[in-house]
Amino acid sequence: MSARPRVVLFSTICAVLALSVSGLSAQAQAAPSSDLYVSPVIGDDHADGTARHPVRTLRHARDLVRARAARLTADLTVHLAPGTYRQTTPLVLDARDSGTHGHRIVWQGGGTAVISGGRQVTGWSQVPGRPGLWSAPAPQGLTDTRQLYVDGVRAQRARGAVPVQLTRTATGYTASSDTLAHWKDPSDAEFVYTSGEALWNIERDGLGQWTEPRCRIASAQGATITMVRPCWDNSNKRVEFPDIPGRTVGMVGPGRLTNGGQATYIENAYELLDQPGEWYLDKAAHKVYYLPREGEHLAHADVEAAAEKLVDGRGTAAAPVHDIAFRGLQFSYATWLTPSQPEGFSEIQAGYTVTGARGWATQGLCQYVEGGTCPFASWTKMPGNVSFAYGQRIEFGDDVFAHLGAAGLDLGTGTKDSTVNGSIFTDISGNGLEIGGVDGQAPASGVQVTDNHLYGLPREYHGGVAVLNGYTRHDTIAHNQIDHVGYSAVSLGWGGWPDKIGDPATPNSSHDNAVSDNLIFDYMQMLDDGGGIYTQGLTGTSMADGEKVTGNVVHDQWGLGKNVYTDNGCTYETVEGNVLYNASYANVASRHTDYRDDLGNNDPTLVKDNWWEEGTADSDNKGLVTTGNTIMAGLSDVPSSVLENAGLEPSYRGLLDRRTGAPSVPEAPSRVGTSTAGADALYVTFNPSFVDGGSPVTGYTARVYDASGGEVGQQAVSAGEFKKTALVRVGGLTGGPFTVTVTAANAHGSSAPSLASAPLTPAAATVPPRAPTSPKLRTARTAATLAWTPPAATGDAKVVGYLVTVSDGREPISVTGRDVLVGQASAKGMFRVIGGLRPGTSYTVTVAAVTVAGTGPAAEVTATTRT
């Protein structure tokens, strides 16, 4: 080592020591001598834990707290100096580690105190014969992980297109060749089945539009691919009703992987390392491989491989863990290994999975099959990297949950009177925050989730949600900002699916839950059939104690769904005073029959005094009451006080400026599809990048390749323009077929390319679409909602827009966007607001579909605005 690096290193160590000492000294001045002090830099577990003689580890600090906890007369604060607290096993807390009713044990961070399960990867060298590829010994004790981070930026497990054609069998697949059998270790590789709506030539894989299951290969011998079990069985043998073809007894999704079991892509193999930012752990050789991104230098980078759970609060009904607070801490670098094991990830919804050797036949099927386990729909919840069961008066405040491989925080069964406030949840593989469960045990109650920022998740299990609330009582989810998420933002309730076969929703003890004054936008950025606020099952016993969804501002949904989604069995929900716009299917939906009696009522629901675009008229539809809602042509139609009140309260808005990890390029777009745009052009659509790398995505570039892999065309589009049109046109193409990849760009550069689209050859289109059907004009005083359904036939091309004309002579209105594309693919209705109308005036409006072949005939409707 040269002299200069030694000086720099010594200076860095001195600075860290000074920061640690100064942090402890400042804390000592403000805290009583009975408090405890911890430092990962200068601490010693043989010390007494005073400010001058801090201990080193959280476990030893816990043991000292345990000795004092029973005789508290005031809060006891454990002061954590700045630094990284590395753990090889979780910090386990139980009733012995609790405060008293009125006095808490406070784990208080000073500066940046990181509770980490990370193991640093060092000793990097270039791999001979592989330009750009580097390797390093796996850290001691690390036998497996699903995550790797470079300077706080998540790396992508090596992935790519499945290199063979697959034909499903009872145990896996027959492949078109023996390619996989020649890979270095095919049993490391994992098939990923991404769902979402089938759109253009994007296929619907998975187990429902809201899922992304994963199963690992067990072996590849010749052309025979055997998949691990029980993952394979749980994803392909889900029991169905014998007298209801295609209806699973679980009533959620299909009984087997759709699209013939085709995998969307394959992940985690040495042979797939071909893009900057990809990595692979060779477990047999105990070696980590990584392809650095531009500007990354592994000799100086902090490379972290993640171990499992960080904090495990193990209360019981008889001996709860209670009166503990975690403030000013960051929880990072933890994985979850179950999806890599034979159990895999056989998803049902929101990260719940079917598990066990015969899960497909019995799990959560209760009264519907012999041997079914109860209650109905009690599947297996994703664990939290920080978790509590039977916790009372547990507090998380001003914390960061980032770089995590399961759910971020799980306040599970038996949680009572606990709070999550002023915290950040981001870069989490699955659900951000989980509350309660659905297993019929003690429901969570009195949980307050307020003024948090949840964004840029889920990163791996894309059917996860930002906030998952199961069977709970008196919970409040308020004043949070949730943005840039792959699926639904907030999900509440469970067990309503029996209404699919005319049975009542599963009884549960939920009541008096509220979702209020949240700001939710740019959600459902990857999967479909969800909502900004999604509720399922019974929410109470009456309108008085049922769920209240009030004062939220929910907008800019990408996937097919609703702003507020009242799904199967959702009963006694009040949706009032919300601002709901830019949804692809409905602002509030859907109507479900209440099967608890024989009266033929709808599930009791009140939709009142919202500002929205769908414009449904006031009515009392057998218990579904719609009243006093206002059609909004723009935000100027909404009282400013309502808009300003939603989201983080003023004293918490500084959370929006805090980011974790080094700035980086965005994540690659996903689900790229193409459609013909004429004889020499293609239209390209894709799911945008919802992980922006700390800087907003500014644009996308679509690149077209011929069958030999040569680039034959490209087209860039700004992020704003793509948000409006949902497509990119690439022209000047001859021949075909062509595949397309897309990159996203921000201030730090361009992402790796997406996975390629399916091949397509451009074709001329001459037959225009038919007219849209069922046009309706729902009027207010100065605005009206035009609603229609897509044309029954679109000629020889796909609908890419609509042309709306209004009889007052204004310029025709061009309607574009993702809902145009998915509306046609799923035959769902559409709507747009027309503003600037005069009260008491008759208007005739027409709407016509547009394809590359031209504009089709128009559908016409006439109505009079209100006076």
Side-chain angles (χ1 to χ4, degrees):
M1 181 181 291
S2 66
R4 181 173 177 79
R6 288 183 181 274
V7 171
V8 172
L9 178 60
F10 180 75
S11 300
T12 301
I13 293 173
C14 290
V16 170
L17 288 172
L19 180 60
S20 181
V21 171
S22 65
L24 290 172
S25 298
Q27 292 168 356
Q29 295 173 13
S33 59
S34 60
D35 285 357
L36 289 170
Y37 295 82
V38 193
S39 170
V41 179
I42 63 172
D44 183 343
D45 279 350
H46 293 96
D48 58 10
T50 60
R52 292 186 178 276
H53 304 97
V55 299
R56 184 178 185 84
T57 66
L58 300 181
R59 180 176 295 183
H60 191 64
R62 178 206 61 187
D63 293 343
L64 293 177
V65 168
R66 186 172 287 178
R68 306 180 188 186
R71 55 181 186 273
L72 288 183
T73 58
D75 287 355
L76 191 161
T77 300
V78 182
H79 299 273
L80 275 63
T84 300
Y85 295 80
R86 295 187 181 276
Q87 302 189 117
T88 57
T89 58
L91 176 66
V92 176
L93 303 174
D94 59 31
R96 296 170 294 175
D97 307 302
S98 302
T100 62
H101 200 18
H103 303 305
R104 292 191 170 186
I105 306 297
V106 180
W107 296 78
Q108 176 69 59
T112 301
V114 181
I115 299 178
S116 170
R119 291 187 170 98
Q120 284 187 307
V121 184
T122 59
W124 292 95
S125 61
Q126 295 189 43
V127 176
R130 285 292 305 271
L133 183 63
W134 292 66
S135 69
Q140 185 175 2
L142 184 77
T143 58
D144 198 4
T145 186
R146 294 180 65 89
Q147 286 82 39
L148 188 78
Y149 301 87
V150 180
D151 289 332
V153 178
R154 180 180 294 235
Q156 169 65 54
R157 286 210 308 174
R159 67 175 184 173
V162 180
V164 291
Q165 297 298 311
L166 300 173
T167 301
R168 179 166 46 193
T169 67
T171 58
Y173 299 98
T174 299
S176 57
S177 74
D178 63 354
T179 299
L180 293 180
H182 295 288
W183 281 15
K184 192 171 186 178
D185 192 347
S187 65
D188 272 352
E190 184 173 282
F191 284 147
V192 183
Y193 306 89
T194 305
S195 194
E197 287 292 333
L199 172 63
W200 290 4
N201 63 353
I202 304 173
E203 296 177 332
R204 179 191 295 176
D205 301 323
L207 289 160
Q209 298 96 301
W210 54 90
T211 67
E212 191 179 60
R214 295 165 170 261
C215 285
R216 184 171 57 80
I217 294 173
S219 66
Q221 297 179 337
T224 299
I225 299 173
T226 303
M227 301 297 290
V228 294
R229 301 167 75 183
C231 187
W232 184 250
D233 289 345
N234 287 335
S235 302
N236 286 284
K237 296 174 65 174
R238 295 180 184 178
V239 63
E240 298 181 355
F241 287 107
D243 56 344
I244 311 176
R247 172 66 70 201
T248 59
V249 175
M251 304 179 215
V252 189
R256 63 193 318 202
L257 292 165
T258 54
N259 191 30
Q262 295 302 304
T264 309
Y265 60 94
I266 187 169
E267 188 174 278
N268 199 43
Y270 177 85
E271 289 76 9
L272 299 171
L273 285 164
D274 62 357
Q275 297 296 334
E278 288 189 332
W279 70 280
Y280 169 68
L281 171 63
D282 186 334
K283 291 182 289 186
H286 205 61
K287 185 177 292 188
V288 180
Y289 292 91
Y290 180 64
L291 270 169
R293 300 178 177 97
E294 185 177 354
E296 290 178 336
H297 302 286
L298 296 181
H300 311 292
D302 175 26
V303 182
E304 302 275 352
E308 289 208 70
K309 187 172 289 189
L310 300 175
V311 178
D312 191 3
R314 299 177 183 175
T316 66
V321 57
H322 58 89
D323 296 286
I324 302 176
F326 299 87
R327 300 172 183 165
L329 300 173
Q330 179 169 325
F331 301 91
S332 291
Y333 305 122
T335 191
W336 176 39
L337 295 178
T338 297
S340 297
Q341 296 164 0
E343 197 73 75
F345 188 73
S346 181
E347 190 170 23
I348 282 281
Q349 184 169 319
Y352 277 86
T353 55
V354 179
T355 57
R358 286 183 54 80
W360 58 273
T362 62
Q363 189 176 25
L365 303 186
C366 204
Q367 73 271 27
Y368 292 108
V369 299
E370 184 176 354
T373 62
C374 294
F376 173 76
S378 178
W379 295 296
T380 302
K381 186 173 68 173
M382 178 184 296
N385 290 130
V386 178
S387 68
F388 277 82
Y390 291 98
Q392 298 180 6
R393 297 177 298 282
I394 306 299
E395 174 196 334
F396 288 88
D398 190 29
D399 296 316
V400 175
F401 297 83
H403 319 320
L404 299 173
L409 171 62
D410 177 25
L411 298 178
T413 297
T415 299
K416 292 184 178 180
D417 303 327
S418 297
T419 61
V420 182
N421 174 259
S423 296
I424 292 173
F425 293 76
T426 189
D427 189 24
I428 296 169
S429 287
N431 298 317
L433 167 62
E434 299 177 335
I435 309 168
V438 298
D439 57 5
Q441 299 185 41
S445 63
V447 178
Q448 309 291 306
V449 178
T450 57
D451 287 297
N452 302 287
H453 187 201
L454 303 97
Y455 70 97
L457 59 91
R459 295 296 302 272
E460 186 174 2
Y461 311 108
H462 293 113
V465 301
V467 179
L468 176 65
N469 191 90
Y471 293 148
T472 64
R473 300 177 295 198
H474 296 287
D475 284 0
T476 298
I477 301 168
H479 285 294
N480 303 286
Q481 178 168 316
I482 304 174
D483 61 270
H484 294 86
V485 293
Y487 180 53
S488 297
V490 180
S491 178
L492 300 96
W494 207 249
W497 296 287
D499 77 357
K500 293 177 181 291
I501 61 168
D503 283 358
T506 304
N508 70 76
S509 58
S510 293
H511 61 81
D512 290 293
N513 293 314
V515 184
S516 304
D517 306 315
N518 300 285
L519 175 60
I520 298 170
F521 60 94
D522 288 341
Y523 59 98
M524 288 180 63
Q525 296 282 289
M526 188 165 178
L527 299 181
D528 292 287
D529 197 5
I533 300 170
Y534 171 95
T535 302
Q536 227 260 29
L538 300 172
T539 77
T541 63
S542 67
M543 293 303 298
D545 71 359
E547 181 181 309
K548 305 295 188 296
V549 176
T550 61
N552 303 282
V553 176
V554 185
H555 66 92
D556 286 288
Q557 168 188 304
W558 184 258
L560 184 71
K562 300 95 176 173
N563 294 130
V564 177
Y565 192 169
T566 58
D567 202 6
N568 296 103
C570 178
T571 305
Y572 300 128
E573 178 169 332
T574 297
V575 182
E576 182 175 2
N578 304 282
V579 181
L580 310 171
Y581 62 100
N582 288 357
S584 68
Y585 177 29
N587 296 135
V588 182
S590 299
R591 177 181 61 81
H592 291 276
T593 302
D594 187 351
Y595 290 103
R596 293 170 304 151
D597 54 42
D598 58 0
L599 301 178
N601 290 333
N602 297 319
D603 287 319
T605 304
L606 176 62
V607 182
K608 180 183 179 184
D609 295 341
N610 300 285
W611 291 266
W612 65 356
E613 295 177 324
E614 71 176 74
T616 302
D618 287 359
S619 68
D620 184 347
N621 185 1
K622 299 179 180 179
L624 172 58
V625 177
T626 304
T627 182
N629 302 290
T630 301
I631 295 175
M632 54 178 287
L635 292 180
S636 60
D637 294 336
V638 182
S640 59
S641 59
V642 176
L643 299 173
E644 291 166 1
N645 189 54
L648 300 173
E649 295 176 281
S651 60
Y652 292 94
R653 290 175 185 166
L655 291 178
L656 302 179
D657 298 323
R658 293 173 58 183
R659 288 293 187 268
T660 63
S664 70
V665 299
E667 190 173 69
S670 62
R671 303 195 77 230
V672 179
T674 56
S675 175
T676 185
D680 64 346
L682 290 176
Y683 284 126
V684 183
T685 192
F686 49 89
N687 289 72
S689 302
F690 62 90
V691 178
D692 62 17
S695 178
V697 174
T698 55
Y700 300 95
T701 300
R703 291 178 171 84
V704 182
Y705 301 90
D706 61 21
S708 68
E711 183 176 330
V712 295
Q714 65 171 266
Q715 182 63 54
V717 64
S718 71
E721 182 65 18
F722 179 72
K723 191 170 186 177
K724 289 194 307 181
T725 64
L727 54 82
V728 182
R729 185 183 186 278
V730 186
L733 307 175
T734 57
F738 302 108
T739 58
V740 181
T741 66
V742 182
T743 56
N746 66 6
H748 308 293
S750 293
S751 73
S754 68
L755 296 170
S757 69
L760 183 70
T761 299
T766 59
V767 181
R770 293 184 185 176
T773 60
S774 305
K776 296 179 179 64
L777 199 59
R778 304 162 180 165
T779 59
R781 290 186 71 253
T782 60
T785 297
L786 173 66
W788 70 93
T789 53
T794 64
D796 51 6
K798 304 292 187 182
V799 173
V800 295
Y802 291 91
L803 196 64
V804 174
T805 65
V806 185
S807 58
D808 60 5
R810 70 181 69 189
E811 288 293 316
I813 302 166
S814 178
V815 175
T816 61
R818 183 69 163 196
D819 59 333
V820 171
L821 310 184
V822 297
Q824 179 62 52
S826 57
K828 300 294 188 183
M830 300 187 59
F831 57 92
R832 284 295 189 276
V833 174
I834 302 168
L837 304 180
R838 297 190 303 274
T841 303
S842 176
Y843 289 90
T844 297
V845 178
T846 69
V847 56
V850 179
T851 73
V852 68
T855 302
E860 181 178 288
V861 61
T862 299
T864 300
T865 52
R866 300 177 188 176
T867 56

